[in-house]
Amino acid sequence: MGIAIQQTAKMEYRRLGESGEQVSAIILGAWQFGKANWTGVEDQESIATMQAALDAGINMIDTAAAYGDGYSEEIVGRAVSGRREEVLLASKCDGDPNRIRDVIDKALKRLQTDHIDLYQIHYPLPKYPVADAVGAMDELRQAGKIRWIGVSNFSLPQMQEAVRTARVETCQPPYNVFWRQFEDDVLPFCQENRISVLSYSSLAQGLLTGKFRKREDIPHDIRSRNKLFAEGIFEQCVEVVEMMDVLAQQYDRTHAQIAIAWALQAPAVTAPIVGARNRRQLEGNLGGVGFRLSDEDWQKLSEAGMRISNQLNFDTNMWGYAPS
């Protein structure tokens, strides 16, 4: 629609669990910086994007050992070198309690730091008790290698077991207009227990940017496996994107900014994690802070997205496979 990028608003900050820290209203996701499964990502631009994010007031970067087999952590470490005091580093490992103790030192080396602020269990692994995995994370906390424990992709029973074992500061579920699996149980549990929700896939793998309107627009990368791109579902998502055309015009914002504002207004969300391949995408995303949808518009968009969410099969995860 040719809507211009808005002047970036002053960054907002929100309480991070019971940590005593404040986290920026947008967190920069670093999956794409690991390059694996992504196209058009260059290290120099990745580093410049992260540094621009810090300049704009974003104070958390979220990465994981699984992103490019540690390469994302390495690039993040290079980007924040000399600026460590400005950023809360968040990373993730798998839920094998035996490996958690081993992989932390590799992560610290790649990130060029002596501690990780927020260390998260990326996926719970069914063959290991949640209590064992969280217990291993708590050992790292007591040793000073991490400051806070987080979890990702946990169900309500898994969350309940986790908090019985140690203090959990954050939960990272996939959550956006279309993806509402955790809305009725995990998110209220987090609110009740003062656990911050750092939602990922905030732009629904790019669907909520308005770039993908036809099946031939679907990118030939890992996103093509996402359930939202499945035949029959994708077409309904496009109908919601067309509805967002009106909102984008009404608020003089981009589709991505509307989607980010929607997430920021969700009652249980502390801060959405939003990726950016370059500084231009980052600049656009920053415009999601500093304005609000009307209650009526937020509700209409929520209801439209929920009609799609209700059709999705959540027996595994958004990519259609389950961790073993």
Side-chain angles (χ1 to χ4, degrees):
M1 297 178 60
I3 297 173
I5 294 176
Q6 301 295 306
Q7 181 67 32
T8 301
K10 183 178 179 180
M11 183 54 64
E12 300 170 1
Y13 298 87
R14 297 177 170 191
R15 175 181 58 83
L16 184 67
E18 294 184 341
S19 70
E21 295 277 2
Q22 297 284 309
V23 66
S24 49
I26 292 178
I27 294 168
L28 180 62
W31 181 12
Q32 67 284 356
F33 301 146
K35 291 187 173 181
N37 298 312
W38 295 88
T39 58
V41 178
E42 300 296 336
D43 290 350
Q44 185 174 356
E45 183 61 28
S46 298
I47 291 170
T49 300
M50 283 183 270
Q51 293 176 342
L54 298 182
D55 292 340
I58 288 178
N59 72 346
M60 179 176 279
I61 299 175
D62 178 79
T63 182
Y67 299 164
D69 194 23
Y71 193 66
S72 174
E73 287 181 328
E74 182 180 330
I75 293 298
V76 171
R78 288 166 55 186
V80 304
S81 178
R83 303 184 69 173
R84 179 66 178 91
E85 72 284 353
E86 299 177 46
V87 62
L88 299 172
L89 289 177
S91 193
K92 299 182 283 293
C93 60
D94 70 33
D96 181 343
N98 303 306
R99 297 192 68 244
I100 286 171
R101 300 175 181 89
D102 297 332
V103 300
I104 182 65
D105 291 330
K106 295 178 181 177
L108 291 172
K109 183 177 180 180
R110 288 190 291 258
L111 288 164
Q112 302 183 38
T113 186
D114 62 356
H115 71 278
I116 294 173
D117 297 290
L118 176 64
Y119 207 40
Q120 304 154 97
I121 298 173
H122 205 159
Y123 280 94
L125 301 180
K127 60 185 176 183
Y128 299 109
V130 166
D132 290 353
V134 174
M137 298 284 274
D138 200 39
E139 290 178 18
L140 300 182
R141 184 191 61 78
Q142 293 177 47
K145 294 185 177 183
I146 69 174
R147 294 176 68 190
W148 313 302
I149 298 168
V151 298
S152 181
N153 301 294
F154 271 43
S155 66
L156 178 59
Q158 290 164 339
M159 289 294 303
Q160 292 169 330
E161 185 174 353
V163 301
R164 286 195 296 266
T165 306
R167 171 63 195 172
V168 174
E169 294 296 351
T170 66
C171 176
Q172 187 179 135
Y175 187 69
N176 55 55
V177 170
F178 301 129
W179 200 267
R180 314 276 280 282
Q181 174 185 4
F182 299 98
E183 199 165 71
D184 293 333
D185 53 9
V186 170
L187 300 194
F189 178 84
C190 290
Q191 284 183 293
E192 292 166 10
N193 290 274
R194 293 174 65 85
I195 297 170
S196 281
V197 173
L198 313 179
S199 55
Y200 76 85
S201 194
S202 305
L203 300 180
Q205 308 303 297
L207 265 172
L208 289 170
T209 67
K211 292 187 297 186
F212 310 136
R213 306 283 183 135
K214 305 181 295 298
R215 295 212 65 82
E216 51 265 36
D217 296 335
I218 297 174
H220 298 292
D221 55 31
I222 191 172
R223 289 174 290 182
S224 64
R225 297 207 311 259
N226 191 288
K227 293 180 181 182
L228 293 175
F229 289 102
E231 191 168 352
I233 295 296
F234 170 73
E235 289 73 17
Q236 293 180 65
C237 290
V238 171
E239 292 178 4
V240 177
V241 170
E242 291 172 349
M243 171 182 156
M244 291 175 68
D245 292 344
V246 178
L247 293 176
Q249 184 69 49
Q250 176 183 335
Y251 288 91
D252 192 23
R253 299 278 172 165
T254 68
H255 288 68
Q257 290 165 356
I258 296 292
I260 292 167
W262 179 90
L264 282 168
Q265 288 175 235
V269 171
T270 302
I273 299 169
V274 188
R277 299 191 197 198
N278 52 54
R279 283 166 286 181
R280 177 170 175 78
Q281 287 184 356
L282 170 69
E283 181 184 359
N285 294 340
L286 290 168
V289 178
F291 81 103
R292 287 181 57 86
L293 302 173
S294 71
D295 291 345
E296 181 180 5
D297 288 336
W298 187 90
Q299 188 63 36
K300 285 181 179 178
L301 187 54
S302 298
E303 291 172 356
M306 184 60 83
R307 287 193 288 271
I308 293 167
S309 184
N310 286 337
Q311 300 175 58
L312 297 177
N313 177 356
F314 291 118
D315 61 351
T316 54
N317 64 27
M318 65 193 310
W319 308 101
Y321 65 88
S324 59

